[in-house]
């Protein structure tokens, strides 16, 4: 009885918390003529898909750009953080603690400061308004997180497993490739999902380093869309709904992988 | 986590005996990260300091011959009236956000602490605001807070409250962006505090229950004191994250009207990228001040974490 009461309250709380999300979907389905109704329609009784048609018609290139940038950022982040995580967790390098500290500090630097630094560098190198430039900048959002997560996970891989490989004559590289990487699959998926989401959601780097580009990611595209036409809120919200799809995936998938990563680490000890 | 740490402490002797990697192997694995940190963290930060010490006009940017001005940019900023205003706004925005986020996050964490039907699913739903791209949340809030057609004003009207110009009045714009930011921060607080609650031994509550302590007393005598280290870390991380917020404010109000919602981060962003006339030197100076504030908070955080690990 008591738990049923709690469930009911929980549902109400979720409803309040997610109201803005509901509203986004509601507005995305509202006809342009109903947009300025007073009071606003609480439910899209006469749903229209004109918003979605407009969104798909105009935003597909930006969505593709964001997809590409997200995947590129994931590849770069994994390439840097997987070996580093292994070295920090298992090879006890000199200065390992200092690197830990630097990674913590790196996460505190405001993105706007990084954006100015990158701008000053890119303007000389001709990397402004390029996709590779944006991928590098976006990866700074994820690399410290990736290294720290891999390190924490790999520290839990039993030393005996690595010693056995060593005795069988495996090189450190071979151990890394054949033992560490396969075992780290779940944590790699977790890092990849978060990295992708951060790159996909990035606004600051896109709006500073890519602002004069023809090839822009979805976040910047929505921002310009709002600036250019304030009447088509159904199209804007439809684009927002589409841009949220990766988040929905993450919520369903990463939940499992975060749990998998944590329990895998615990069980193997 | 605890199990992982013990394994790390127990295994070193075995490692050292069994395996002695070639001298260059370890550096080779670390090299990508070190090169990366130097190129993409240290160098931008260095460039940023350099920007703040020269007079970087757009022209000097391209020609590469800016005039060295020393600390002039800093002096100019600190004596600007806008500085105190932005500092005050930053304090209100940051402290207001983290205080309310923490209080609501803690209340929710306590609510979800004892599992009930559907509790895991409902708790997961609370993560949604955290996962949405900021442009999505910010534009949704903008439309909800729209003066004429927003749902918020329509709802308030039902209670007889007249139209509030949330985003276009200097009296409310800072409050409006703070509300949106609180909404965004609740999931983070909930997740960390919930994890902290799981580490409080259940027998404590059982004993207190036997002694006749009410739920309210249990919260203030057990939960709150034992959660203090986790609370401190949550609040500090919240502080560090909130100090750097740009997107949500820029998308909703662009720091306006009349600087009413301009924080230090927004000020920096606007000087460098927000106007047709980029002015990088003061922007970089403001950015560096922001880093100093964040690092000060960060040092406290590292201290606290070390203390946590030791205990």
């Amino acid at each position: 009885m008591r738990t049923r009461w709690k469930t009911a309250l929980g549902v109400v709380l979720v409803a309040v918390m997610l109201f803005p999300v509901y509203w986004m979907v509601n507005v995305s389905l509202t006809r342009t003529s109903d947009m300025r109704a007073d009071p606003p329609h609480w439910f899209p009784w006469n749903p229209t898909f004109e918003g979605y048609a407009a969104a798909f018609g105009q935003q597909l290139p930006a969505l593709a750009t964001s997809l590409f940038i997200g995947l590129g950022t994931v590849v770069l982040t994994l390439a840097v953080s997987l070996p580093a995580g292994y070295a920090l967790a298992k090879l006890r390098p000199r200065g390992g603690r200092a690197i830990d500290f630097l990674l913590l500090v790196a996460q505190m630097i405001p993105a706007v400061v990084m954006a100015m630094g990158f701008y000053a560098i890119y303007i000389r190198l001709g990397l402004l308004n390029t996709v590779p430039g944006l991928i590098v900048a976006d990866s700074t959002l994820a690399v410290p997180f990736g290294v720290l997560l891999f390190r924490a996970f790999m520290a839990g891989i039993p030393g005996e497993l690595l010693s056995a490989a060593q005795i069988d004559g495996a090189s450190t590289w071979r151990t890394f490739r054949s033992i560490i990487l396969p075992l780290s699959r779940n944590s790699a998926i977790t890092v990849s999902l978060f990295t992708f989401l951060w790159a996909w959601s990035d606004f600051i780097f896109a709006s500073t380093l890519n602002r004069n580009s023809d090839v822009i990611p979805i976040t910047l595209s929505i921002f310009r869309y709002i600036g250019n036409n304030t009447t088509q809120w159904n199209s804007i919200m439809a684009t927002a709904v589409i841009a949220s799809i990766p988040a929905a995936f993450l919520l369903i998938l990463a939940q499992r992988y975060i749990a998998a990563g944590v329990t895998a680490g615990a069980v193997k000890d | 986590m605890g199990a992982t740490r013990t394994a790390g402490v127990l295994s070193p002797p075995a490692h050292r005996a069994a395996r002695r990697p070639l001298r260059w192997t370890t550096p080779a694995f670390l090299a990508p990260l070190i090169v990366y940190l130097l190129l993409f963290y240290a160098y931008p930060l260095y460039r940023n300091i350099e920007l703040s010490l020269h007079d970087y006009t757009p022209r000097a940017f391209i020609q590469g011959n800016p005039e060295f001005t020393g600390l002039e940019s800093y002096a100019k900023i600190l004596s600007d009236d806008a500085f105190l205003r932005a500092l005050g706004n930053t304090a209100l925005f940051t402290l207001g956000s983290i205080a309310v986020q923490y209080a609501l996050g803690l209340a929710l964490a306590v609510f979800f602490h004892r599992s009930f039907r559907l509790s895991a699913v409902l708790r997961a739903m609370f993560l949604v605001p955290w996962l949405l791209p900021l442009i999505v949340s910010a534009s949704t809030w903008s439309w909800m807070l729209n003066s004429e057609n927003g749902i918020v004003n329509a709802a308030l009207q039902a209670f007889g409250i007249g139209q509030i110009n949330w985003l276009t009045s200097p009296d409310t714009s800072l409050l409006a962006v703070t509300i949106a930011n609180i909404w965004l921060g609740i999931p983070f607080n909930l997740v960390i505090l919930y994890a902290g609650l799981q580490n409080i031994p259940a027998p404590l509550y059982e004993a207190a229950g036997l002694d006749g302590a009410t739920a309210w007393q249990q919260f203030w005598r057990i939960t709150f004191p034992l959660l203090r280290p986790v609370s401190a870390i949550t609040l500090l991380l919240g502080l560090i994250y909130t100090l750097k917020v740009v997107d949500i404010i820029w998308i909703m109000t662009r720091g306006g009207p009349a600087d009413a919602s301009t924080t230090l981060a927004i000020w920096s962003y606007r000087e460098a990228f927000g106007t047709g006339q980029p002015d990088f030197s003061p922007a970089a100076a403001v950015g560096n001040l922001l880093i100093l504030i964040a690092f000060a908070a960060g040092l406290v955080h590292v201290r606290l974490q070390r203390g946590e690990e030791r205990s």
Side-chain angles (χ1 to χ4, degrees):
Chain A
M1 192 59 213
R2 210 180 124 76
T3 72
R4 200 176 296 167
W5 168 86
K6 273 193 119 178
T7 305
L9 182 57
V11 170
V12 173
L13 290 173
V14 167
V16 172
M17 186 71 176
L18 294 191
F19 181 78
V21 180
Y22 167 72
W23 201 246
M24 167 174 80
V25 176
N26 180 25
V27 172
S28 75
L29 294 169
T30 303
R31 286 182 305 181
T32 312
S33 54
D34 292 341
M35 202 57 70
R36 307 223 167 239
D38 186 29
H41 295 257
W42 287 82
F43 190 81
W45 293 115
N46 300 303
T48 169
F49 289 94
E50 57 187 81
Y52 286 89
F56 275 116
Q58 296 158 16
Q59 307 293 342
L60 269 186
L63 287 166
T65 307
S66 279
L67 188 67
F68 183 76
I69 290 174
L71 294 176
T73 310
V74 168
V75 170
L76 179 58
T77 302
L78 289 182
V80 174
S81 54
L82 272 169
Y86 172 51
L88 289 172
K90 289 295 180 196
L91 304 180
R92 51 196 78 254
R94 216 174 292 161
R97 291 222 92 175
I99 292 180
D100 277 0
F101 181 74
L102 285 179
L103 291 172
L104 276 179
V105 169
Q107 289 176 301
M108 291 165 193
I109 302 168
V112 60
V113 174
M114 295 294 286
M116 280 186 277
F118 273 119
Y119 188 91
I121 296 168
Y122 282 5
I123 200 171
R124 291 249 183 91
L125 298 179
L127 281 171
L128 277 186
N129 304 316
T130 64
V131 167
L134 199 52
I135 288 178
V136 166
D138 280 350
S139 72
T140 61
L141 301 169
V143 164
F145 164 80
V147 176
L148 292 174
L149 193 135
F150 284 133
R151 201 197 63 148
F153 175 77
M154 291 170 183
I157 295 178
E160 297 80 39
L161 212 57
L162 305 181
S163 320
Q166 213 78 34
I167 290 165
D168 289 345
S171 65
T172 312
W173 168 249
R174 185 69 208 275
T175 313
F176 175 65
R177 224 188 48 198
S178 309
I179 298 181
I180 300 282
L181 284 188
L183 283 178
S184 307
R185 194 176 139 259
N186 281 349
S187 46
I189 292 175
T190 305
V191 170
S192 304
L193 287 167
F194 276 101
T195 303
F196 182 84
L197 190 69
W198 288 332
W200 176 274
S201 312
D202 162 67
F203 172 76
I204 295 190
F205 288 131
S207 70
T208 53
L209 304 176
N210 262 41
R211 58 189 173 147
N212 297 319
S213 174
D214 300 327
V215 186
I216 56 170
I218 186 70
T219 49
L220 193 52
S221 184
I222 296 180
F223 185 65
R224 287 194 186 162
Y225 204 40
I226 299 173
N228 291 342
N229 68 47
T230 43
T231 52
Q232 305 285 328
W233 274 89
N234 46 11
S235 321
I236 294 171
M237 288 294 113
T239 316
V241 171
I242 299 167
S244 308
I245 291 172
F249 265 114
L250 188 76
L251 187 70
I252 298 159
L253 291 179
Q255 276 256 318
R256 197 181 124 214
Y257 280 109
I258 291 168
V262 172
T263 44
V267 169
K268 274 180 205 112
D269 280 322
Chain B
M1 207 56 179
T4 311
R5 217 172 274 147
T6 5
V9 174
L10 291 178
S11 36
H15 280 201
R16 224 168 281 146
R19 191 162 36 85
R20 193 157 265 295
L22 294 173
R23 218 177 329 135
W24 47 266
T25 317
T26 308
F29 274 92
L30 267 184
L33 177 66
I34 290 174
V35 171
Y36 183 92
L37 287 177
L38 286 174
L39 274 183
F40 303 134
Y41 273 100
Y43 191 47
L45 280 183
Y46 162 76
R47 285 291 284 155
N48 202 57
I49 293 172
E50 206 203 324
L51 283 178
S52 71
L53 297 177
H54 292 79
D55 183 19
Y56 263 98
T57 56
R59 201 149 144 242
F61 233 126
I62 290 156
Q63 296 177 339
N65 58 348
E67 191 191 338
F68 181 80
T69 52
L71 295 175
E72 213 172 274
S73 293
Y74 292 89
K76 218 190 275 171
I77 279 181
L78 292 175
S79 62
D80 194 329
D81 289 338
F83 176 74
L84 279 183
R85 185 104 202 255
L87 193 66
N89 285 343
T90 309
L92 282 175
F93 177 73
T94 311
L95 299 178
S97 292
I98 60 174
V100 180
Q101 281 166 7
Y102 172 77
L104 294 177
L106 182 58
L108 287 165
V110 170
F111 176 72
F112 283 110
H113 182 35
R114 300 277 161 73
S115 62
F116 49 88
R117 255 181 79 104
L118 292 180
S119 63
V121 178
L122 293 174
R123 194 158 43 82
M125 304 280 272
F126 267 90
L127 297 184
V128 169
W130 194 24
L131 300 173
L132 289 181
L134 270 174
I135 182 88
V136 168
S137 338
S139 46
T140 305
W141 275 98
S142 291
W143 184 241
M144 283 171 54
L145 292 171
N146 183 285
S147 296
E148 286 91 28
N149 309 105
I151 185 70
V152 173
N153 274 349
L156 289 178
Q157 213 164 32
F159 295 99
I161 299 171
Q163 179 178 323
I164 298 175
N165 297 316
W166 291 102
L167 299 174
T168 48
S169 151
D171 300 326
T172 50
S173 66
L174 188 63
L175 177 66
V177 293
T178 309
I179 291 173
N181 191 56
I182 289 169
W183 182 76
L184 288 168
I186 288 174
F188 172 76
N189 282 263
L190 169 60
V191 167
I192 299 205
L193 293 169
Y194 179 81
L197 283 184
Q198 304 303 313
N199 289 332
I200 298 178
L204 282 180
Y205 291 105
E206 286 155 22
L210 288 178
D211 289 345
T214 62
W216 185 250
Q217 283 171 327
Q218 288 182 18
F219 175 79
W220 287 109
R221 299 279 169 81
I222 302 174
T223 311
F224 199 65
L226 286 179
L227 209 56
R228 239 185 58 186
V230 181
S231 299
I233 285 171
T234 312
L235 287 168
L236 269 168
L237 285 178
L239 176 69
I240 293 167
Y241 293 149
T242 314
L243 277 174
K244 20 183 209 184
V245 167
V246 169
D247 342 32
I248 185 92
I249 304 181
W250 188 255
I251 295 162
M252 286 177 73
T253 67
R254 301 199 179 208
D259 285 356
S261 54
T262 296
T263 59
L264 289 174
I266 285 288
W267 193 17
S268 177
Y269 182 90
R270 185 177 52 202
E271 290 294 321
F273 304 108
T275 62
Q277 229 86 51
D279 210 345
F280 280 92
S281 300
V286 175
N288 289 331
L289 288 179
L290 203 57
I291 291 189
L292 285 183
I293 302 174
F295 279 4
L299 280 181
V300 180
H301 168 64
V302 172
R303 272 273 160 92
L304 281 176
Q305 234 186 10
R306 294 249 165 96
E308 261 272 84
E309 270 167 30
R310 225 172 279 135
S311 62

